[in-house]
């Protein structure tokens, strides 16, 4: 079913594999050798397949390279659900400094994915201070009101002295 030309069959197979962590890990081990991710499914023409593949990778704790072109393409995906799945994936599988550029890219949009990206970015702690500052500065109401707006998320991690100085 995963190699079907019918996107709904592929989606159904991914959905079945994503029911629990053990089946997700088994499914990914069948799709790729080693610790890789199924790039063909993450590049699938149907956005629901891309989103569900990200969910499967997240559940199996198989991280997508946040600095790679595939991750950048997913961050700019036209479907909100794909961008939201990417934010969840980065939150669970990538280190703050590696994921912060992608999170900033998604956070600059609108909708639920952008809100989730901002929450993850601002709660990433001192290792993401540069992108946090860029995100706060890009909000049109001024840095002080942006800081106050995201204070709750910033407090979820240790405070960055560099962010405060910036």
């Amino acid at each position: 079913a995963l190699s079907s030309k019918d996107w709904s069959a592929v989606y159904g197979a991914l959905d079945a594999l994503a029911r629990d962590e053990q089946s997700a890990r088994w499914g990914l081990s069948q799709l790729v050798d080693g610790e890789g991710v199924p790039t063909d499914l993450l590049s699938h023409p149907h956005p629901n397949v891309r989103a569900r593949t990200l969910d499967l990778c997240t559940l199996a704790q198989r991280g997508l390279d946040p600095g790679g072109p595939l991750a950048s393409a997913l961050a700019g995906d036209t479907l909100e659900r794909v961008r939201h799945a990417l934010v969840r994936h980065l939150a669970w599988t990538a280190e703050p400094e590696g994921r912060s550029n992608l999170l900033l890219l998604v956070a600059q949009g609108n909708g639920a994915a952008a809100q989730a990206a901002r929450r993850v970015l601002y709660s990433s702690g001192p290792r993401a201070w540069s992108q946090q500052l860029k995100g706060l500065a890009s909000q049109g109401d001024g840095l002080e009101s942006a800081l106050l707006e995201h204070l709750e998320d910033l407090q979820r991690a240790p405070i960055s002295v560099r962010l405060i100085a910036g």
Side-chain angles (χ1 to χ4, degrees):
L2 289 169
S3 59
S4 173
K5 294 195 186 296
D6 178 13
W7 77 267
S8 61
V10 177
Y11 182 85
L14 290 169
D15 195 48
L17 290 172
R19 296 196 187 267
D20 64 44
E21 186 178 334
Q22 185 177 358
S23 64
R25 286 179 189 237
W26 178 84
L28 282 180
S29 72
Q30 302 302 307
L31 290 170
V32 294
D33 294 329
E35 292 296 313
V37 294
T39 55
D40 55 331
L41 291 173
L42 289 169
S43 302
H44 194 276
H46 201 283
N48 286 336
V49 171
R50 295 192 298 270
R52 199 60 177 145
T53 302
L54 275 168
D55 293 338
L56 182 69
C57 291
T58 303
L59 189 59
Q61 297 174 355
R62 284 275 176 92
L64 176 66
D65 175 17
L70 182 56
S72 295
L74 291 167
D77 201 283
T78 57
L79 185 68
E80 171 94 9
R81 185 167 178 250
V82 174
R83 294 189 311 274
H84 204 228
L86 177 65
V87 170
R88 283 191 308 272
H89 180 75
L90 293 170
W92 287 101
T93 64
E95 292 296 320
E97 51 278 272
R99 69 185 181 206
S100 58
N101 285 329
L102 279 179
L103 289 172
L104 181 60
L105 182 65
V106 176
Q108 291 173 340
N110 295 318
Q115 286 179 326
R118 286 190 287 272
R119 277 193 306 274
V120 174
L121 176 63
Y122 295 132
S123 63
S124 291
R127 296 189 296 176
W129 76 271
S130 177
Q131 285 73 18
Q132 290 169 344
L133 185 59
K134 286 177 189 175
L136 292 170
S138 71
Q139 294 182 352
D141 296 337
L143 196 53
E144 287 178 2
S145 72
L147 184 62
L148 290 174
E149 180 182 337
H150 299 289
L151 192 56
E152 184 177 324
D153 294 322
L154 288 164
Q155 290 176 337
R156 291 182 180 174
I159 300 296
S160 169
V161 173
R162 290 181 177 166
L163 176 64
I164 293 169

